[in-house]
């Protein structure tokens, strides 16, 4: 609250309070053009100079009491897979369920409200970590060249309405400038085109063309990514076994970077955090986790490291 800069995470998913200490912290989004003076750790946010603007602040209270914090959930739908046959998959990466029936899928000049599309699998009320795949062939996009945007409403030229976007094959599609203005895409950048029997798959983190790769269709399941063109350093995922489980789970990591530790969160279907634990995410590492305290049902597991994150689900029976 004094304005001292405690951290400069590159993206929102990298916010980390471990070094912040007990007290009240404020999170801002900063947009700027050109270089800034004073944007440094331990400097004061009020002393920054240059062409910039700050968002409103999110207030976070950090304590060391050990008590469970009250949960305020939020659903975050993203584009996760685009199939050449017209099927489009969304994933909820937030910690609360979200109804996407009033959202729009858009590829200029054709648009469709999600609630009007046929469901392949999943539900328009997407639980945390879950998926929805719809038949969006009405959009008539091509696997060789196209674009797709996810909007919260039908204000297609408003950067505040578009929440996710990808273009492939070529640059400069009609809605790419809107996505650039919304800071969810980069100017003159494009993902690769994909074959007629394949999908364009999101790797789980980022808004860059390199975060999308061609792969096999995998409706309502975690994307099965094969690294290409320097993507190896982004491989970070884990398997959980057995699944379904009754008491103990073995979580094994595939990690092709230097990250060694991460934080595991387990959510139930209401979005409430049921368990947190610091675990080793080294390549090949197996973590034995006792989950016997969980009731029967479906749960979602998310692991965040300093460089990556991965989501999955499991069943307790």
């Amino acid at each position: 609250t004094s304005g001292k800069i405690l951290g400069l995470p590159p993206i929102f998913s990298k916010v980390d309070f471990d070094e912040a200490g007990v007290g009240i912290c404020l999170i801002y989004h900063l947009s700027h053009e050109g270089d800034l003076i004073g944007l440094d750790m331990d400097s004061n946010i009020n002393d920054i100079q240059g062409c910039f603007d700050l968002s409103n602040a999110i207030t976070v209270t950090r304590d060391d009491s050990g008590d469970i914090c009250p949960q305020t959930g939020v659903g975050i739908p993203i584009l996760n897979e685009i199939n050449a046959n017209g099927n489009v998959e969304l994933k909820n990466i937030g910690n609360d369920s979200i109804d996407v029936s009033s959202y729009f899928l858009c590829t200029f000049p054709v648009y469709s409200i999600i609630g009007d599309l046929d469901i392949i699998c999943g539900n328009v009320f997407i639980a945390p970590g879950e998926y929805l795949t719809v038949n969006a062939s009405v959009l008539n996009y091509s696997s060789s060249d196209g674009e797709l945007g996810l909007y919260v409403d039908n204000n297609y030229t408003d950067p505040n309405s578009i929440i996710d976007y990808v273009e492939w094959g070529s640059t400069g599609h009609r809605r790419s400038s809107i996505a650039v203005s919304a800071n969810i895409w980069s100017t003159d950048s494009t993902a690769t085109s994909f074959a007629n029997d394949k999908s364009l798959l999101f790797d789980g983190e980022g808004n860059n063309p390199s975060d999308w790769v061609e792969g096999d269709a995998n409706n309502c399941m975690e994307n099965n990514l094969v690294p290409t063109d320097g993507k190896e350093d982004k491989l970070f995922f884990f398997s959980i076994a057995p699944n379904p489980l009754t008491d103990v789970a073995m979580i094994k990591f595939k990690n092709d970077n230097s990250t060694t530790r991460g934080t595991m969160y387990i959510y139930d279907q209401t979005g409430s955090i049921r368990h947190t634990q610091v675990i080793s995410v080294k390549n090949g590492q197996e973590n034995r986790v006792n989950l016997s305290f969980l009731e029967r049902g479906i749960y979602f597991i998310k692991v965040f490291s300093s460089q990556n994150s991965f989501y999955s689900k499991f069943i307790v029976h």
Side-chain angles (χ1 to χ4, degrees):
T1 53
S2 65
K4 181 180 178 180
I5 298 175
L6 301 175
L8 295 167
I11 56 177
F12 75 90
S13 62
K14 302 299 185 186
V15 175
D16 187 350
F17 295 101
D18 285 349
E19 303 300 325
V22 174
I24 298 175
C25 302
L26 303 176
I27 307 174
Y28 296 90
H29 180 275
L30 182 147
S31 299
H32 68 96
E33 294 184 3
D35 295 332
L36 299 179
I37 299 174
L39 185 62
D40 302 298
M41 291 284 291
D42 298 325
S43 297
N44 195 290
I45 197 170
N46 299 306
D47 296 333
I48 298 175
Q49 299 179 39
C51 182
F52 71 95
D53 198 6
L54 290 171
S55 70
N56 59 299
I58 297 175
T59 301
V60 175
T61 302
R62 180 172 168 86
D63 67 46
D64 57 0
S65 66
D67 296 335
I68 296 176
C69 297
Q71 296 301 310
T72 55
V74 59
I76 306 174
I78 62 167
L79 297 170
N80 196 58
E81 178 178 339
I82 302 166
N83 189 263
N85 65 9
N87 291 347
V88 173
E89 180 185 83
L90 304 182
K91 181 178 181 180
N92 180 2
I93 63 170
N95 63 357
D96 200 0
S97 298
I98 187 169
D99 185 354
V100 297
S101 59
S102 62
Y103 286 47
F104 283 79
L105 290 173
C106 315
T107 177
F108 185 88
V110 185
Y111 312 93
S112 181
I113 191 169
I114 291 176
D116 290 343
L117 300 174
D118 291 335
I119 295 176
I120 304 299
C121 56
N123 193 292
V124 292
F125 195 69
I126 313 176
E130 274 298 304
Y131 307 85
L132 166 69
T133 301
V134 294
N135 181 353
S137 57
V138 65
L139 300 179
N140 198 32
Y141 57 75
S142 167
S143 63
S144 62
D145 189 273
E147 67 173 345
L148 188 64
L150 177 63
Y151 283 77
V152 298
D153 52 41
N154 59 357
N155 295 317
Y156 306 121
T157 60
D158 187 351
N160 295 312
S161 294
I162 190 170
I163 59 173
D164 205 4
Y165 178 85
V166 58
E167 64 179 341
W168 60 92
S170 65
T171 63
H173 292 88
R174 290 293 293 269
R175 297 309 182 202
S176 63
S177 61
I178 308 301
V180 170
S181 298
N183 294 314
I184 59 173
W185 198 247
S186 302
T187 304
D188 297 329
S189 59
T190 182
T192 182
S193 56
F194 50 106
N196 288 330
D197 59 345
K198 297 290 185 178
S199 287
L200 193 59
L201 305 174
F202 181 53
D203 71 358
E205 183 176 350
N207 293 311
N208 297 312
S210 59
D211 294 306
W212 290 87
V213 296
E214 181 186 69
D216 294 329
N218 203 13
N219 292 334
C220 290
M221 298 179 65
E222 195 66 40
N223 289 338
N224 182 22
L225 300 177
V226 177
T228 57
D229 299 332
K231 295 288 292 180
E232 291 82 0
D233 64 339
K234 301 207 73 171
L235 270 180
F236 176 82
F237 57 89
F238 56 82
S239 60
I240 180 169
N243 189 10
L245 60 88
T246 54
D247 47 16
V248 174
M250 295 299 296
I251 302 174
K252 183 175 182 178
F253 281 87
K254 169 68 174 178
N255 183 9
D256 285 359
N257 57 45
S258 59
T259 305
T260 59
R261 291 201 309 165
T263 303
M264 175 185 67
Y265 297 86
I266 294 177
Y267 300 81
D268 60 24
Q269 288 184 283
T270 69
S272 298
I273 297 177
R274 299 297 304 275
H275 183 64
T276 62
Q277 181 177 331
V278 175
I279 60 177
S280 172
V281 299
K282 292 189 294 185
N283 187 44
Q285 178 69 43
E286 288 188 334
N287 295 266
R288 187 178 186 273
V289 181
N290 189 343
L291 300 175
S292 59
F293 60 91
L294 295 175
E295 303 85 7
R296 291 185 178 183
I298 299 174
Y299 294 87
F300 308 96
I301 178 172
K302 306 181 182 182
V303 177
F304 297 88
S305 74
S306 61
Q307 300 179 29
N308 298 278
S309 61
F310 188 76
Y311 310 83
S312 189
K313 70 175 180 178
F314 64 93
I315 298 173
V316 175
H317 68 176

